[in-house]
Every structure is written in structure tokens, then in C-alpha cells.
Amino acid sequence: MKVPEIFQDIARSRRVTRQFLPTPLSEHQLNRVLLDAQHSPSNCNTQPWQVHVVSGATRERLSSALLAADDRQHFTPDFEFDMAAYTGVFAERAQASGRARYEAIDIGREDHAARAACLRHNLTFFDAPHVALLFMPKISDYVRSAGDIGMYAQTFLLSLQARGLGGIPQTLLGMYAETVREVLGVSEELKLMFGISFGHADPHSASNFVDVGRVALQDSVVRHS
Ligand SMILES: Cc1cc2nc3c(=O)[nH]c(=O)nc-3n(C[C@H](O)[C@H](O)[C@H](O)COP(=O)(O)O)c2cc1C
């Protein structure tokens, strides 16, 4: 029996989208992606994700608030993110992916203004019409639920890919957790892991065709038999 390769194509061709078209998803499309993601596995089926999907006027308000928070350098992450903590091969991989990304869009190493603008583009959701903010409650030290949120996020991203849509997970949005909670009226008890901006990828933007590659299987997988 020939095994269909549909899943292989979806999983291996997915790339993050960093330039979206303004066209929103239809309600039908949006619900199907959310239902797909809802089927993600989780520890003891606890489904700890609390997902706020933001579009339209609230999206505008959220983006303005994020830009203002950034202007004030008002960073309020629920969970730290320190690039200096990535050393050795992890630092090398991060640097290589940054290089590939900036080369693809013709931004040089020393062009600090252009690189800063790219970072700020996160806060306008790369022009996506929708952003999903992924929150979770405090359960123990958060680690198990964080794994569940990762499961949810990947199902969400693969659903988008399977439907010809694009998305990007964004830890950067988590750096403004307090601002996000304020705008969306979310309880302090829910902690923000990251956001996923999503919509239709701009087919003409070079930033949507960056292949950062992956290390060889033997660098990540140890087989025992
Ligand atoms: C949890 C998570 C958070 C991320 N946060 C950001 C972010 O804040 N901004 C950004 O531009 N890319 C972000 N990315 C995208 C990664 O840089 C990207 O997935 C990685 O370079 C591999 O590229 P690919 O997904 O196109 O294969 C994030 C990815 C993940 C999984």
C-alpha cells in the first residue's frame, strides 16, 4: 500500500510567515483551524491552553499599546528569555538562522536601524489580520503545561499550512504580557507564553521564503535497539 505523503509535505514545507496580506480569514476558516488545534494532546488531557484570538479594532488597539510599551521600554515578561543563555551549538544555530533571515531580505550586519525595524514589525503582527495569544494557568512550575501549549501551537501552525495559510509564533509578544492582559482584560492569573500571528502569506515577500534548515537527524536523535 502506498503511504500518502501529504503530511510529509505539510510538515516539511512549513516556514514562518513574516509578511502577511491584510485579508482576514473567513469565520469558517478560522473555526476550522481552532478546532484542529483543539485536538492537540496534553498531559492527562488537561488542555491548559487559554487562547485569545484578536482581530479587527481590538487588533489595532493591541498593536498601538504594544508599540507604546516598547517606546517606554516597558517589558513585563511572565517568563524570562535571555539570548545569552544560548551557548555552544545553540548560539551557533541562532546566529545562522538570523544570518539567513537577514540575507534573504538584504539587510546587512551593521544596518542596526533596519534590524530594529524588523523587531518592531513583530508588534504590528507582521501585518497579519489576526493574532492568537496563548495563555496558561499556574500549574506546578508551568513546565508541563508549557509543553502542552507547544503541542497546541504546532497543531495550529500545521493546520494553517495544510489550508494554504501562514503563521508565526512570537515569543517577543510575551515580553509585553502585562500590556496584553490589560488590553484584552485577561486575569493576572493567566500567564502569556507567546502569540501566533496568522493569515494569508504575502506571496511576493522574500521574508516568507527563508529556509533556515535543520541539523542532521543524528545530531538530535539517538537510536537504541
Ligand atoms: C516558540 C517560538 C517563538 C518564536 N518567536 C519568534 C519571535 O518572537 N519573532 C520572530 O520573528 N520569530 C519567532 N519565532 C520563529 C523562529 O525564529 C523560527 O521558527 C525558526 O527560525 C525556524 O524557522 P521556520 O519555522 O521557518 O522553519 C519563534 C518560533 C517559536 C517556535
Side-chain angles (χ1 to χ4, degrees), residues 14-18 81 97-98 101 118-119 122 126 153 157 167-174 193-195 210-214:
R14 187 210 52 78
R15 307 267 178 275
V16 291
T17 298
R18 287 200 179 90
F81 185 83
S97 74
R101 173 184 172 194
C118 284
L119 263 184
N122 273 274
F126 298 102
L157 293 171
I168 178 165
Q170 292 171 269
T171 290
L172 197 83
L173 299 179
M193 273 289 286
F194 51 82
V210 185
D211 184 357
V212 293
R214 293 295 188 267

Side-chain angles (χ1 to χ4, degrees), residues 31-186:
N31 280 326
R32 292 184 81 165
V33 172
L34 292 171
L35 271 174
D36 287 347
Q38 197 68 5
H39 281 78
S40 304
S42 57
N43 280 281
C44 305
N45 200 26
T46 45
Q47 306 161 70
W49 43 81
Q50 279 291 305
V51 184
H52 285 245
V53 181
V54 181
S55 319
T58 308
R59 176 209 172 281
E60 297 303 308
R61 269 199 312 123
L62 181 60
S63 180
S64 302
L66 289 170
L67 291 166
D70 189 59
D71 288 339
R72 290 185 284 132
Q73 305 230 316
H74 183 57
F75 306 121
T76 54
D78 289 332
F79 305 101
E80 70 173 36
F81 185 83
D82 180 8
M83 271 317 291
Y86 291 87
T87 56
V89 288
F90 306 114
E92 282 163 25
R93 291 171 193 168
Q95 281 155 13
S97 74
R99 249 193 327 273
R101 173 184 172 194
Y102 288 117
E103 266 168 23
I105 52 177
D106 225 7
I107 293 179
R109 249 183 102 77
E110 300 307 320
D111 195 344
H112 301 297
R115 286 183 176 224
C118 284
L119 263 184
R120 286 271 283 193
H121 205 191
N122 273 274
L123 307 182
T124 53
F125 317 121
F126 298 102
D127 304 328
H130 311 285
V131 58
L133 283 312
L134 275 51
F135 292 92
M136 60 182 177
K138 172 149 178 56
I139 299 173
S140 186
D141 67 356
Y142 292 105
V143 173
R144 303 293 168 201
S145 324
D148 298 335
I149 303 291
M151 295 276 167
Y152 181 93
Q154 175 68 335
T155 312
F156 195 108
L157 293 171
L158 292 180
S159 174
L160 291 169
Q161 178 70 18
R163 300 175 188 288
L165 300 163
I168 178 165
Q170 292 171 269
T171 290
L172 197 83
L173 299 179
M175 299 299 112
Y176 309 88
E178 212 175 272
T179 304
V180 174
R181 269 193 294 269
E182 245 169 59
V183 173
L184 303 181
V186 172

Side-chain angles (χ1 to χ4, degrees), residues 176-216:
Y176 309 88
E178 212 175 272
T179 304
V180 174
R181 269 193 294 269
E182 245 169 59
V183 173
L184 303 181
V186 172
S187 149
E188 168 68 26
E189 270 144 46
L190 288 177
K191 301 302 176 195
L192 180 57
M193 273 289 286
F194 51 82
I196 300 179
S197 293
F198 63 100
H200 298 267
D202 179 345
H204 303 298
S205 173
S207 47
N208 292 341
F209 298 94
V210 185
D211 184 357
V212 293
R214 293 295 188 267
V215 297

